[in-house]
């Protein structure tokens, strides 16, 4: 059974080094988190799985890693300066601040008062200044989504790769939103990471591609280990659509605090490319066609047969890395009752996501030959390039197994006296079944390689 409460997960994350409150020793920074030794591995594995599926396993997607600091004009013409805001209300009684659309029965969630101010639009973008002078001219923004930096690179990528429609640009990176209230751990944060694909298609084929991407993305999350029972598709009502979207479907996940958005898949139409192009060129965006114009700043693609310029429509699967980590941990966390009446906590992560792939344990820490053998196995397995292999000589194998169950290590390998004195075999212990088997050390690399290929 998945984690039932956020407290369980938060405690595990701190205890085992997955996620810490940022700036903790100075009282923290609200809505900002640091990923610890195991958290960074899990996060990197999730991002690598996304990149593999989006870029390496497809033939129609290019990668990009664009800057976070963004020219003000980009976010002016994208519509963010005017519309990227949430409705803010103040409670006159206890002075707390809330998002009006998150209130129930128009009551302050903190003190229950209904004496609230009228909602006013609060822009979520973090503003900064470039250079030493803080004036209107020097304003820049920390990007609120990776998407805009992809759109303004459309022509750079197109010209350097000679892509034809349909094709996509994938990007993973940080984004920043000055959220009014941050709650539920890493679910809603002010410094977040996104995995966004902008998939450019012929106008007219957009609805079909939208449906296809919804299906592909749902299937991908299931392959990362999320149960179909905890996932749901939810279509946005017309009045709830973002300013750029013609249709959006969210992939919802049953987090400990409720069913909430994990990823949004939007049909952004030609809104963004059109808007950035309209800034540079005077043309009728509704026509989706720019008649025989040549310009370096035109975010459009030329149809080779007709020579007409087309502003592609964009289908955008946009997922949050932090929400992905939270969903995977929620799903994987379980407490098992064992036959002897004791309990164990297990993080049943899919092997490709596990922060530590294999722990190599030495039964005794004071037997140099045993320790050296365990270190040698660690080096050999590390060279397979599967991810982090950990050597440990804490000397308590039972406790070691429990600790690795709790952080999701799929396999533990133990080197003992039989290994060094008798037959050079090691014990392999499986996280989920807890079964143990002996295997010649010489066969370990093949065993581990096969396990992670199929596991
Ligand atoms: N480019 C489109 C876009 O940014 P979004 O629905 O605002 O769309 C996409 O964000 C994904 O980014 C969300 O589904 C969510 O997973 C993640 N996300 C957005 N705001 C977040 C926040 N404050 N904290 C954590 N994740 C967030």
């Amino acid at each position: 059974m998945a984690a039932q409460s956020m407290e369980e997960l938060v405690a595990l994350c701190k205890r085992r080094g997955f996620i810490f409150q940022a700036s903790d020793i100075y009282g923290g920074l609200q809505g900002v988190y640091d990923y610890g030794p195991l958290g960074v591995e899990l996060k990197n594995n999730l991002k690598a799985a996304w990149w593999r599926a989006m870029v390496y396993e497809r033939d129609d997607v290019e990668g990009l890693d664009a800057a976070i600091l963004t020219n003000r004009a980009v976010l002016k013409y994208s519509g963010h300066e005017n519309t990227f805001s949430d409705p803010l209300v103040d409670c006159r009684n206890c002075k707390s601040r809330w998002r009006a659309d998150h209130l129930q029965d128009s009551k302050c969630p903190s003190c229950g008062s209904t004496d609230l101010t009228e909602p006013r639009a609060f822009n979520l973008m973090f503003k900064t200044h470039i250079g030493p002078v803080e004036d209107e001219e020097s304003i820049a923004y920390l990007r609120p989504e990776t998407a805009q930096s992809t759109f303004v690179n459309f022509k750079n990528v197109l010209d350097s790769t000679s892509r034809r429609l349909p094709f996509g640009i994938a990007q993973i990176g940080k984004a920043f939103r000055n959220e009014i209230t941050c709650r539920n751990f890493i679910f809603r944060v002010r410094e977040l990471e996104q995995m966004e694909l902008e998939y450019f298609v012929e106008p007219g084929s957009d609805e079909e591609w939208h449906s296809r991407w919804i299906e592909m993305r749902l299937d991908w999350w299931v392959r990362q280990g999320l149960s179909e029972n905890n996932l749901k598709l939810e279509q946005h009502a017309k009045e709830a659509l973002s300013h750029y979207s013609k249709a959006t479907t969210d992939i919802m996940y049953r987090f400990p605090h409720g069913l909430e958005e994990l990823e949004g898949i939007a049909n952004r139409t030609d809104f963004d490319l059109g808007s950035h192009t309209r800034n540079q060129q005077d043309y009728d965006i509704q026509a989706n066609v720019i008649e025989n114009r040549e310009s370096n700043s035109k975010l459009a693609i030329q149809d080779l047969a007709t020579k007409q310029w087309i502003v592609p429509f964009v289908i955008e699967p946009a997922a949050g890395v932090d929400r992905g980590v939270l969903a995977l941990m929620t799903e994987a966390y379980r407490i098992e009752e064992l036959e002897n009446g004791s309990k164990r906590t297990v993080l049943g992560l899919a092997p490709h996501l596990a922060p530590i792939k294999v722990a190599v344990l030495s039964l005794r820490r004071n037997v140099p030959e045993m320790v050296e053998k365990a270190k040698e196995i660690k080096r050999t397995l590390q060279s397979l390039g599967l991810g982090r292999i950990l050597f440990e000589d804490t000397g308590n194998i039972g406790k070691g197994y429990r600790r690795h169950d709790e952080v999701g290590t799929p396999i533990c390998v133990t080197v003992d006296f039989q290994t060094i004195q008798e037959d050079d075999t090691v014990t392999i212990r499986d996280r989920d079944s807890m079964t143990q088997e002996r295997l010649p050390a010489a066969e370990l690399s093949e065993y581990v390689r096969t396990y992670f290929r199929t596991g």
Side-chain angles (χ1 to χ4, degrees), residues 218-248:
L218 185 64
D219 178 61
W220 185 81
W221 281 113
V222 172
R223 281 187 280 124
Q224 305 319 299
L226 301 188
S227 145
E228 282 178 72
N229 294 334
N230 290 329
L231 289 162
K232 191 174 168 239
L233 293 177
E234 211 168 274
Q235 211 176 338
H236 286 208
K238 281 269 177 282
E239 58 279 9
L241 289 171
S242 304
H243 62 279
Y244 51 73
S245 173
K246 163 178 164 185
T248 298

Side-chain angles (χ1 to χ4, degrees), residues 37-49:
L38 296 185
V40 66
E41 297 292 340
L42 173 54
K43 199 183 194 200
N44 283 345
N45 292 340
L46 174 62
K47 291 190 282 183

Side-chain angles (χ1 to χ4, degrees), residues 135-148:
D135 60 12
E136 277 288 301
E137 296 296 299
S138 66
I139 288 175
Y141 291 108
L142 303 191
R143 63 181 177 189
E145 58 173 6
T146 62
Q148 293 307 322

